[in-house]
Amino acid sequence: MAAAASGKHLSRRLLIALFAVSAALSTAMAIAVTAMCYHTTERDSDTALATQAEDIAGHMPAGTPEEEAAWFSALPFGEMRGTLIAADGTVLYDSQADASTMENHNTRSEVVSAREKGEATVSRYSTTLGTDTLYAAVALPDGTVVRVGETRHSLTAFLGKMSPAVLAGLLVGVFIAFVVAQLLTRRIMKPFEEVGLVQQPPADMYVEMQPLLDRINEQRQELVKSNQELRRAANARREFTGNVTHEMKSPLQVIGGYAELMRDGIANPEDYQRFAGLICDEAQSMRALVDDVLTLSHLDEGSIMESGAEPVDLVQVAKHVATRLHPKSIDNGVTVRVDGPAEVIVQGNAGLLEQMLYNLVDNAIRYCGGERGQVVIRLRQNADWTTVSVDDNGPGVPVEARERVFERFYRVDVSRSRETGGTGLGLAIVKHAAEAHGGTVHIETSSLGGASFVVTLPTHLGA
Ligand code: ADP
């Protein structure tokens, strides 16, 4: 799983995205709350200052400007700035500056507004104090104006005061965002983690996961199928090995038995030649078995066809097979005939095609037996298909056994097969060879009365 380990992590991406969004939201909330607090505090201090000015104006005893200034100057202003302005604009008293040095205040916006509306609140830069100041002014009936001022908090100063609380809130918000992001990620990822553990899709599966699950299921089924095939192949191999060993045992027993008799001098001298002949026969049948097993194992590996296909004249092959089997056919009283055009060319492996035909003709000779046995190798060809059939006038193959005779070691007539030196592998090789050439083989009832083995091959390999 090296690819997965070095690849992108969906869960990490999700976590980062969720965390980033939640943290951004928390920060935005903190900023909004701070701004709201600042705004509310400023508005509250506006109202408080206006109330203060109204209060002083309400309690101011009527009298001369000097009397009013004396009463006003006795008030405890503390941090606030108190100013009393006469009707002509002269500053009568200021709690934070020397009134006599101050210029005429009738042009100050809060004073002008207070004279117009009775009272006014104005925020302005004070040249006298050099700071941003909020003023609340109230005009008295005699034209005197009572003004109280308060230095406005700057936003930075306010933030400075608020920052520990805001920071703490922000930290808590970010922590909660992290925990929530992690929980959400785990929840979102859960169906993915459950995929493949069981054959059923996860309970809370996403619709988007269906194609992925379908693919996994397909591959699972393919794996099951190839597993079954592997098991079947392993079983077949085991069965084959068992059969080969079994087939080897009887000739070995015969050879061993007769050899012992001869070695120990128990056999009559006149039997020696007969025993030696029997040993030769058994050795011959063992050689045939070994040859067939080797051919089959080469066919299983596909190595025979690897040498490539070449043009092969099946008429020549058939004639060659008939010649090779001539002595046997004479011994069995069987005539072998080749029937077909002068030339039938197919693409294939000459050796394998000859072995295929040899097995069929050899069987035909062995099984039709008796006197007046007839075997016909018939060749036919058109643009697409080439057929080679081997007919005989023997007992034929029962319909129910026509598939099974192509299985390894399956015999219809066991004793006849053994008597005539059969290995039980001849037809398995025929079928394999036909298939290796892209063809098929099947059995029909011959017009001669016996079996007709029909091999059909594509005229051009790969057609
Ligand atoms: P074997 O070496 O026993 O002949 P094969 O694989 O060549 O093995 O054939 C399988 C079986 O098919 C034979 O045992 C035989 O019973 C049957 N068979 C094959 N060819 C013929 C034939 N021409 N006529 C009748 N039976 C046949």
Side-chain angles (χ1 to χ4, degrees):
M1 294 305 280
S6 60
K8 293 171 181 167
H9 286 267
L10 176 62
S11 56
R12 199 177 296 164
R13 287 183 150 208
L14 255 179
L15 181 67
I16 292 172
L18 286 171
F19 175 62
V21 169
S22 320
L25 275 177
S26 316
T27 314
M29 284 270 289
I31 292 172
V33 168
T34 313
M36 263 169 57
C37 285
Y38 179 68
H39 185 72
T40 315
T41 318
E42 289 301 294
R43 206 190 45 215
D44 287 354
S45 57
D46 280 17
T47 323
L49 203 65
T51 314
Q52 192 96 23
E54 275 166 24
D55 241 28
I56 295 170
H59 289 91
M60 174 84 80
T64 62
E66 289 71 29
E67 284 166 352
E68 283 175 349
W71 180 84
F72 188 76
S73 64
L75 293 174
F77 286 107
E79 294 256 296
M80 274 194 306
R81 178 184 181 193
T83 317
L84 192 66
I85 301 144
D88 61 0
T90 318
V91 178
L92 295 171
Y93 174 77
D94 192 286
S95 63
Q96 289 180 4
D98 182 1
S100 60
T101 61
M102 290 169 73
E103 61 189 35
N104 191 293
H105 266 48
N106 261 3
T107 52
R108 297 286 201 276
S109 57
E110 71 277 11
V111 177
V112 175
S113 294
R115 290 205 195 289
E116 272 170 20
K117 297 184 247 163
E119 56 180 75
T121 313
V122 166
S123 173
R124 171 164 74 66
Y125 185 74
S126 159
T127 39
T128 320
L129 297 177
T131 52
D132 225 4
T133 309
L134 177 70
Y135 292 109
V138 176
L140 296 175
D142 63 358
T144 311
V145 171
V146 169
R147 185 184 80 169
V148 280
E150 194 176 50
T151 309
R152 248 196 194 286
H153 296 297
S154 69
L155 182 60
T156 24
F158 180 80
L159 281 182
K161 250 195 320 192
M162 285 279 286
S163 59
V166 172
L167 267 179
L170 202 60
L171 274 178
V172 171
V174 167
F175 176 72
I176 292 174
F178 183 72
V179 172
V180 168
Q182 237 179 357
L183 285 176
L184 272 177
T185 305
R186 216 167 290 159
R187 230 181 117 163
I188 292 171
M189 293 307 295
K190 200 166 160 247
F192 286 101
E193 281 156 16
E194 284 173 5
V195 168
L197 294 180
V198 282
Q199 205 143 355
Q200 260 78 40
D204 43 3
M205 189 195 79
Y206 305 117
V207 177
E208 290 85 346
M209 284 166 64
Q210 195 59 54
L212 176 73
L213 286 184
D214 288 348
R215 258 199 317 274
I216 291 177
N217 260 341
E218 252 168 52
Q219 282 176 357
R220 201 197 316 255
Q221 271 156 19
E222 271 167 29
L223 271 179
V224 168
K225 215 160 71 190
S226 63
N227 241 343
Q228 282 170 346
E229 270 162 23
L230 278 177
R231 218 170 300 139
R232 219 172 291 140
N235 282 343
R237 228 183 349 259
R238 209 171 307 127
E239 198 183 324
F240 182 62
T241 316
N243 279 330
V244 170
T245 327
H246 179 77
E247 294 288 328
M248 293 268 190
K249 266 184 194 153
S250 52
L252 276 175
Q253 263 165 0
V254 176
I255 291 172
Y258 285 121
E260 244 173 72
L261 287 178
M262 287 159 79
R263 181 196 64 196
D264 299 341
I266 302 168
N268 295 323
E270 61 268 27
D271 287 334
Y272 269 53
Q273 203 170 2
R274 193 168 58 88
F275 287 180
L278 287 170
I279 289 174
C280 272
D281 287 351
E282 293 304 322
Q284 170 56 37
S285 78
M286 267 185 73
R287 195 176 307 127
L289 179 65
V290 169
D291 284 348
D292 280 358
V293 168
L294 276 178
T295 307
L296 267 178
S297 92
H298 286 324
L299 278 169
D300 283 342
E301 287 166 15
S303 54
I304 290 184
M305 285 306 282
E306 263 165 27
S307 49
E310 50 182 358
V312 181
D313 182 3
L314 285 180
V315 177
Q316 288 308 316
V317 173
K319 283 183 177 161
H320 192 223
V321 167
T323 312
R324 279 173 66 198
L325 284 166
H326 188 66
K328 194 169 196 168
S329 58
I330 299 288
D331 286 351
N332 287 267
V334 178
T335 55
V336 179
R337 190 158 61 84
V338 179
D339 173 58
E343 195 182 65
V344 172
I345 308 284
V346 290
Q347 299 291 317
N349 179 298
L352 191 55
L353 288 170
E354 179 164 337
Q355 167 118 48
M356 179 181 86
L357 217 52
Y358 184 95
N359 287 1
L360 289 176
V361 179
D362 182 56
N363 276 356
I365 294 170
R366 286 194 292 123
Y367 292 104
C368 74
E371 286 302 303
R372 289 206 292 276
Q374 282 180 51
V375 175
V376 181
I377 309 171
R378 203 168 278 130
L379 295 136
R380 297 278 180 273
Q381 186 169 50
N382 66 27
D384 299 322
W385 299 103
T386 302
T387 49
V388 189
S389 56
V390 178
D391 287 34
D392 62 58
N393 61 347
V397 180
V399 177
E400 62 278 8
R402 284 183 183 177
E403 289 282 333
R404 296 209 62 192
V405 287
F406 294 102
E407 289 173 19
R408 295 169 187 196
F409 297 113
Y410 182 85
R411 293 160 167 118
V412 180
D413 184 345
V414 181
S415 59
R416 184 162 187 122
S417 164
R418 290 241 159 83
E419 258 169 44
T420 55
T423 60
L425 294 173
L427 288 182
I429 292 172
V430 169
K431 185 173 180 182
H432 226 322
E435 284 172 356
H437 284 84
T440 55
V441 56
H442 69 275
I443 302 173
E444 294 174 6
T445 303
S446 167
S447 55
L448 298 178
S452 173
F453 284 80
V454 186
V455 177
T456 311
L457 302 173
T459 299
H460 305 284
L461 198 63

